[in-house]
Amino acid sequence: RTVEGEKFFHRDLLAASLVSSINTATNMLVSGVEKNRATFVSAMNTQAKQWGTRFTTFADVTGEEDNSVSTAKEYLDIFTAAINNATVSQVLSAKGYEYNEFEDIDGKPYHYDDHSNDLQSKADLSFEILESKTGYLYASGANLAMRIRDPKTEKMYIVITLGNADFSRRFDEPQRFVSWALSRLN
């Protein structure tokens, strides 16, 4: 959706990365911040360690490399630390994001990205999604992190689901699980 030479604001690339999981936007953002990818990945690993992880290792900036690894618990720790950042929390709560290129070349400056978590746009959920982030790799399947609120009790919970092999139905199980869990808690 972009052509070489077009320019974007970093805030828009961050939103495209987090809202829609667009890896091209992530790569563009990283290139605009740090020219040496190894340095950036090293900083990611240092940050993860500062957040208390022991087993998490990033091999690349998007997490696409199979040798990027974590555990469910550490994914929870990273997600929790990330949503404690006001900017990240605001971006991950959006149902979609629209922006214009800073410098357009092909006459198509406008972009709109839906949230990659299809549950964000569902109206009939038994819970409210406050923030969420998706991920998918062939090696690990579909992964999802969400902070949700139970509308009956106003209590908030973080839900992590990993390894869903059925990409076309990757949101069905998380929705069923959260609805089931909330029905048991109330």
Side-chain angles (χ1 to χ4, degrees):
R1 300 181 347 200
T2 65
V3 297
E4 188 172 339
E6 291 182 326
K7 296 180 181 176
F8 297 82
F9 289 108
H10 285 173
R11 68 175 179 262
D12 297 329
L13 294 173
L14 177 67
S17 297
L18 296 178
V19 172
S20 301
S21 289
I22 298 175
N23 291 332
T24 302
T26 306
N27 284 306
M28 291 169 66
L29 177 60
V30 169
S31 293
V33 173
E34 173 58 60
K35 299 298 179 204
N36 184 319
R37 289 199 181 272
T39 300
F40 194 90
V41 171
S42 177
M44 290 170 57
N45 286 312
T46 298
Q47 180 65 72
K49 297 298 178 230
Q50 290 172 350
W51 285 338
T53 66
R54 292 181 35 212
F55 305 105
T56 298
T57 304
F58 297 105
D60 67 307
V61 298
T62 62
E64 293 175 277
E65 296 291 326
D66 287 346
N67 52 344
S68 290
V69 296
S70 191
T71 66
K73 169 66 171 90
E74 291 187 359
Y75 190 48
L76 170 67
D77 294 340
I78 292 167
F79 182 72
T80 301
I83 62 174
N84 283 329
N85 176 291
T87 300
V88 173
S89 175
Q90 180 182 12
V91 171
L92 290 177
S93 69
K95 292 181 181 0
Y97 189 77
E98 62 183 313
Y99 54 99
N100 285 301
E101 297 164 358
F102 174 67
E103 188 173 311
D104 177 53
I105 292 176
D106 64 358
K108 300 174 185 172
Y110 177 77
H111 295 266
Y112 181 84
D113 298 318
D114 288 318
H115 200 292
S116 55
N117 178 358
D118 290 351
L119 297 176
Q120 287 279 70
S121 61
K122 288 189 82 172
D124 62 344
L125 294 175
S126 63
F127 54 94
E128 176 188 2
I129 299 172
L130 302 175
E131 298 99 355
S132 72
K133 179 68 184 92
T134 64
Y136 179 82
L137 293 174
Y138 291 111
S140 67
N143 306 297
L144 177 63
M146 298 186 292
R147 181 165 65 147
I148 59 122
R149 180 181 8 240
D150 181 344
K152 294 176 185 171
T153 65
E154 296 296 314
K155 290 183 179 178
M156 293 183 280
Y157 303 93
I158 295 180
V159 177
I160 307 287
T161 58
L162 303 173
N164 189 337
D166 187 353
F167 184 81
S168 65
R169 299 181 62 191
R170 65 193 176 277
F171 302 110
D172 294 353
E173 286 303 314
Q175 180 181 352
R176 276 195 289 273
F177 170 74
V178 171
S179 295
W180 173 85
L182 291 179
S183 73
R184 299 302 185 267
L185 294 170
N186 293 326

